[in-house]
């Protein structure tokens, strides 16, 4: 199982690194998953991510107090809204759009109720 968690850690770390440069791909959620996976396979790598000067503070805030910064909330809700708008613009199947709206609404409602720093 250790190799599985190690692989998952690297996969989610890679997705988080890509997310640092691609606006629609979130960074911190993938880094949270990477830290979680690395604590099961390589605690040293998990600790290294948590010590990162830019990404470490939001990860530590989430792990200690469940805190999500206001800017992160705004970007997340805006990104989900843009995704739904894009689906409308592309004329995708209304069932797909309805499922997307339901999922984004549920996630957005959960996210905005998280405490802020």
């Amino acid at each position: 199982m250790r190799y599985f968690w190690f692989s998952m850690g690297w996969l989610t770390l890679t997705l988080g690194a890509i997310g640092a440069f691609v606006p629609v791909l979130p960074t911190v959620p993938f880094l949270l998953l990477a830290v979680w996976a690395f604590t099961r396979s390589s605690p040293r790598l998990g600790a290294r991510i948590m010590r990162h000067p830019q990404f470490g503070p939001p990860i530590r805030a989430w792990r200690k107090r469940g805190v999500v910064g206001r800017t992160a909330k705004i970007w997340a809700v805006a990104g989900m809204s843009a995704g739904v708008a894009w689906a409308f613009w592309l004329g995708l199947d209304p069932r797909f759009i309805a499922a997307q709206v339901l999922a984004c609404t549920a996630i957005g409602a959960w996210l905005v109720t998280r405490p802020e720093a």
Side-chain angles (χ1 to χ4, degrees):
M1 280 308 287
R2 184 175 176 184
Y3 292 114
F4 172 76
W5 293 120
F6 190 74
S7 299
M8 289 303 295
W10 277 108
L11 173 67
T12 54
L13 178 63
T14 301
L15 290 171
I18 293 168
F21 301 102
V22 178
V24 293
L25 191 66
T27 301
V28 173
F30 284 116
L31 295 181
L32 284 167
L33 289 171
V35 168
W36 182 74
F38 281 138
T39 57
R40 284 151 181 74
S41 62
S42 175
R44 182 181 58 83
L45 288 173
R48 187 171 176 190
I49 295 169
M50 290 186 52
R51 285 191 310 265
H52 189 277
Q54 183 176 358
F55 301 115
I59 292 170
R60 289 190 304 270
W62 172 256
R63 290 190 73 180
K64 289 180 183 174
R65 300 179 310 280
V67 170
V68 179
R70 181 171 290 176
T71 304
K73 291 179 183 182
I74 291 169
W75 278 105
V77 171
M80 288 186 281
S81 300
V84 171
W86 193 36
F88 272 114
W89 183 75
L90 290 173
L92 298 180
D93 184 345
R95 293 171 295 187
F96 173 79
I97 295 173
Q100 185 181 15
V101 167
L102 286 173
C104 288
T105 301
I107 293 167
W110 176 83
L111 182 64
V112 298
T113 61
R114 300 302 97 203
E116 294 181 6

